[in-house]
Amino acid sequence: MNFNLIHLQIPELIVMAILGAVLLFFGYRVKQVAFFIIWFLIGYSLMQNFMPTLNSWVPQIAGSQLWQILMPIAGGILLAFLGLSIEKLCVAGIVFGLTMVITMKYFGTDVPTLAVGAIIGLVLGGIAVNMMKPAIIIATSLAGAYCLTVALLTWVPSINPTIFYFPILAILTIVGCVMQSGSTRDL
C-alpha cells in the first residue's frame, strides 16, 4: 500500500482540517455546502494525482509554479460546481469519487486496481442512492475523517501511517456517523 500522504503546506492543512471537521460533524445538516466541499476535495486530489501526467504533456505548466497551484484548485472548483447540480448523482458521485481516491492513493494506479476500485465505487454509489440520508451521513463522515486523518498524520509524524491510518480513519468515521445521526433525528 502507498501511504505517501498529501504534501500540503500548513495553511492548506489547517483549511483541510477545518473543512474535515465541518464534514465530519455537520455534513448532513449542511449537505449542499458539504457536497461542494467534498467535490472540491475530490477534484483537487484527482487533479494533484494527474499533474505529473499533465506536466509531461505540457512542459509550460511543469515550469510554472503558478500553474502547479492553480490547476488542482481549478479541478476542485469544476467538480464542486458539477457536484451541486443533482443530489442523487452527487451522492453516487461522492461515494464513487471517494472510492477512487482511496483506491489510487493506497492501492495504486495500475489498470486492474483502478477497474476493481471503479466496480466497487459503482456498486457503493448505487447502494448510496437507495439510502440517501444514511449515505450522506456516511459519505460526509468518511470525507471529513479522511481530511482530519491526513492532517493529523502530517502534523504528528511520529504516528506510523502504515499502522494507524485505517484505524484512525475508521474511528473518526464512526464518531462522525454517530454524531450526525444523533443530531439529525428530526430532519
Side-chain angles (χ1 to χ4, degrees):
M1 284 187 222
N2 178 11
F3 282 100
N4 292 330
L5 298 174
I6 298 171
H7 299 292
L8 300 174
Q9 302 300 320
I10 296 297
E12 295 166 317
L13 278 172
I14 291 170
V15 169
M16 186 173 184
I18 291 168
L19 293 177
V22 168
L23 291 173
L24 185 66
F25 296 115
F26 306 106
Y28 188 78
R29 285 197 174 274
V30 295
K31 65 183 174 181
Q32 293 299 321
V33 173
F35 289 165
F36 186 88
I37 292 169
I38 292 169
W39 276 109
F40 177 83
L41 293 172
I42 289 172
Y44 188 90
S45 179
L46 291 174
M47 195 62 185
Q48 273 192 325
N49 287 325
F50 183 66
M51 284 306 291
T53 304
L54 185 61
N55 289 339
S56 68
W57 289 348
V58 185
Q60 293 83 357
I61 291 175
S64 170
Q65 184 64 27
L66 179 64
W67 283 111
Q68 296 299 309
I69 294 168
L70 290 180
M71 292 303 287
I73 292 171
I77 290 172
L78 284 173
L79 271 182
F81 283 121
L82 179 69
L84 288 176
S85 60
I86 302 171
E87 188 170 295
K88 286 184 179 183
L89 179 63
C90 185
V91 170
I94 286 170
V95 172
F96 179 81
L98 288 171
T99 303
M100 292 308 294
V101 167
I102 290 169
T103 299
M104 288 188 319
K105 277 291 195 193
Y106 303 104
F107 299 104
T109 57
D110 56 319
V111 174
T113 302
L114 291 176
V116 170
I119 291 168
I120 292 170
L122 288 172
V123 169
L124 292 176
I127 292 169
V129 168
N130 290 317
M131 303 169 44
M132 284 298 278
K133 182 177 179 180
I136 292 169
I137 289 172
I138 292 168
T140 57
S141 294
L142 179 59
Y146 173 78
C147 293
L148 289 173
T149 301
V150 168
L152 176 68
L153 293 175
T154 303
W155 284 330
V156 186
S158 61
I159 299 175
N160 184 345
T162 305
I163 297 169
F164 293 107
Y165 174 80
F166 285 112
I168 292 170
L169 184 69
I171 290 167
L172 287 175
T173 301
I174 291 167
V175 168
C177 287
V178 169
M179 297 282 293
Q180 285 191 56
S181 294
S183 70
T184 61
R185 285 186 205 270
D186 300 334
L187 299 179

